[in-house]
Amino acid sequence: MLRFILTGYIENALSKAEYDKLEDGTFSGRIPSCKGVIAFGNTLRECENQLRSTLEDWVLLGLKLGHDIPIIAGYDLNQEPSSEPMATV
């Protein structure tokens, strides 16, 4: 079974998102296990899209800077990538 690690991580993290409708009618969204990942939007759909974008940027920047990324649904992005010798590909 083919498994796309980054896609799986993003989808599972987004499934844990919490959304609130604010007093002015706009929406906020956050992912509690991903500290600092929060987004806002005029509609729920816009907020969801902004949250996805924010999460993707947060993960990529965290990996680049060597931050610990929380393990979500068994997806551990903190592991060193493994590579196969070119002859086996």
Side-chain angles (χ1 to χ4, degrees):
M1 178 177 170
L2 187 58
R3 189 170 153 187
F4 297 101
I5 294 171
L6 189 55
T7 300
Y9 186 90
I10 298 294
E11 293 302 322
N12 279 281
L14 288 170
S15 74
K16 298 176 183 327
E18 297 175 356
Y19 297 95
D20 291 307
K21 189 168 186 176
L22 305 177
E23 290 180 12
D24 64 357
T26 62
F27 292 85
S28 70
R30 66 187 190 93
I31 301 171
S33 59
C34 299
K35 197 172 197 173
V37 176
I38 186 168
F40 300 91
N42 290 324
T43 65
L44 181 56
R45 173 68 72 204
E46 184 180 312
C47 185
E48 290 170 333
N49 291 338
Q50 289 297 325
L51 191 62
R52 173 182 289 276
S53 179
T54 300
L55 175 63
E56 290 171 352
D57 291 345
W58 182 86
V59 167
L60 294 175
L61 182 61
L63 291 172
K64 182 175 182 173
L65 297 177
H67 295 170
D68 283 332
I69 307 295
I71 298 168
I72 295 179
Y75 289 94
D76 186 354
L77 302 182
N78 301 299
Q79 297 176 6
E80 288 294 319
S82 60
S83 58
E84 302 268 338
M86 207 47 186
T88 63
V89 176

